[in-house]
Amino acid sequence: WTAWNDSVLYTRYADDLFFSTDTPNLLSQLLADLRRDVAMRISPRLRINEDKTVFTSRKRRRVVTGLVLTSTGEVSLGRKQKRFIRSLLHRHLLHALDDKQVAYLRGFIAYARSVDPQYVRSLERKFGPDNVQAIQAKGEGRSRDGRRLSRLP
């Protein structure tokens, strides 16, 4: 394993392991070494889930634990999640969400802010900062023309 230390970056999230490198074809060699090491190990007993073993590059869409890694190395929610949050926010401003859905939206915006704060700023520009921040604070929001929206649950 020490032979790989300078060339391969290792990341772990729960029981998922991620290996990355800038050297082409190096990860397939690493996987062969990893398979040998796992096979020889008595304890702890480990297993490589071949269904989750994926090789990818910056040329393709990379999704890790539900987040998208962009070709520039940034972390993003991904287009589908962003559209979903935007649609929920729009529906909320139309008063078309129930209390449970508003709470879900509140959590989703908090999550988005931790992953992709630039995206949340874009929501604030589109829908108004008071409206987005009011969801987070359970307060009142205002429409673009200044009308007060109903108090959030």
Side-chain angles (χ1 to χ4, degrees):
W1 286 102
T2 56
W4 305 105
N5 283 350
D6 295 332
S7 306
V8 176
L9 179 67
Y10 156 83
T11 308
R12 176 177 177 223
Y13 180 78
D15 63 346
D16 293 326
L17 306 176
F18 304 92
F19 299 91
S20 56
T21 184
D22 290 329
T23 307
N25 304 316
L26 187 62
L27 293 180
S28 58
Q29 297 168 19
L30 175 77
L31 181 57
D33 285 356
L34 182 61
R35 282 187 175 122
R36 277 192 294 279
D37 185 77
V38 167
M40 292 178 6
R41 216 172 265 283
I42 295 171
S43 177
R45 191 73 185 131
L46 303 174
R47 181 179 64 84
I48 296 174
N49 185 340
E50 300 297 339
D51 292 337
K52 292 175 75 176
T53 302
V54 177
F55 291 94
T56 189
S57 72
R58 288 189 178 121
K59 296 176 185 174
R60 300 181 65 192
R61 185 170 186 264
R62 298 171 296 160
V63 179
V64 177
T65 63
L67 298 173
V68 176
L69 302 178
T70 68
S71 58
T72 60
E74 300 290 318
V75 177
S76 173
L77 295 169
R79 190 177 318 131
K80 184 177 178 181
Q81 296 281 38
K82 288 178 179 181
R83 285 182 178 162
F84 182 64
I85 293 171
R86 197 169 41 249
S87 72
L88 284 177
L89 185 52
H90 177 74
R91 288 178 53 217
H92 169 68
L93 294 176
L94 296 174
H95 303 283
L97 298 182
D98 62 30
D99 291 352
K100 187 175 179 181
Q101 292 168 318
V102 172
Y104 180 79
L105 174 60
R106 183 178 303 121
F108 220 157
I109 290 175
Y111 170 68
R113 191 179 302 278
S114 72
V115 172
D116 195 345
Q118 186 175 344
Y119 171 67
V120 176
R121 285 191 295 277
S122 77
L123 290 175
E124 290 171 345
R125 284 190 302 274
K126 180 176 178 74
F127 295 104
D130 291 345
N131 289 318
V132 176
Q133 292 167 12
I135 291 168
Q136 294 289 236
K138 295 184 176 183
E140 292 179 349
R142 298 205 175 266
S143 66
R144 285 181 170 232
D145 62 3
R147 289 178 294 133
R148 196 171 97 187
L149 300 176
S150 62
R151 188 159 183 81
L152 302 175

